[in-house]
Amino acid sequence: MDGLGQQGLQTLSIPTDATGVLEVELCLVLGARRVVLFASLNEAEAAQYRRLARVFQRSGFATLVFDLGHTPPTALGRHLLAVSEWAAHNPRTHHLEQAFFGGQSIAQIARRAAQLR
């Protein structure tokens, strides 16, 4: 743990559906009230979001960074929902309000995913 209350970065596998898992990077910050879910569509964007996540962590936010780039297009919304549902039910993150961070494509996917609920 550093002086900012960071509890450390963990790489986790989250089940997305009956056939797959998604690798995510979770960083919990002591005293955080929110978790920012950074969703990318390629590895270059994911690397950029990892750097940005560190800025959010220093500001007291927990972060969850994941790359949907290898996800079939028809499953993008379901995988986005799976990560959100995991965070909502995980004992370490369930109490945190969620906010998504991503580009315009992620926003469109999130809108479609909301219709799946």
Side-chain angles (χ1 to χ4, degrees):
M1 182 166 65
D2 65 20
L4 300 170
Q6 183 173 320
Q7 293 181 340
L9 183 67
Q10 292 184 304
T11 301
L12 306 167
S13 297
I14 295 177
T16 55
D17 52 33
T19 60
V21 295
L22 188 64
E23 298 294 315
V24 302
E25 294 177 3
L26 173 66
C27 183
L28 295 175
V29 176
L30 291 175
R33 294 184 7 221
R34 293 178 183 83
V35 59
V36 180
L37 289 78
F38 290 87
S40 67
L41 289 174
N42 59 62
E43 185 54 41
E45 191 175 60
Q48 181 181 6
Y49 287 170
R50 282 186 206 98
R51 289 189 298 273
L52 186 57
R54 287 192 291 274
V55 174
F56 276 76
Q57 292 157 14
R58 286 192 298 270
S59 297
F61 292 89
T63 61
L64 188 66
V65 180
F66 56 101
D67 179 13
L68 294 171
H70 299 290
T71 302
T74 56
L76 289 169
R78 288 193 314 273
H79 288 200
L80 196 63
L81 280 177
V83 173
S84 178
E85 289 293 320
W86 177 89
H89 293 97
N90 183 281
R92 297 175 68 202
T93 56
H94 70 90
H95 63 286
L96 301 173
E97 293 180 29
Q98 293 182 21
F100 277 93
F101 188 97
Q104 183 176 354
S105 296
I106 293 296
Q108 292 170 347
I109 293 164
R111 278 194 297 275
R112 286 193 299 264
Q115 296 171 351
L116 296 174
R117 284 190 157 180

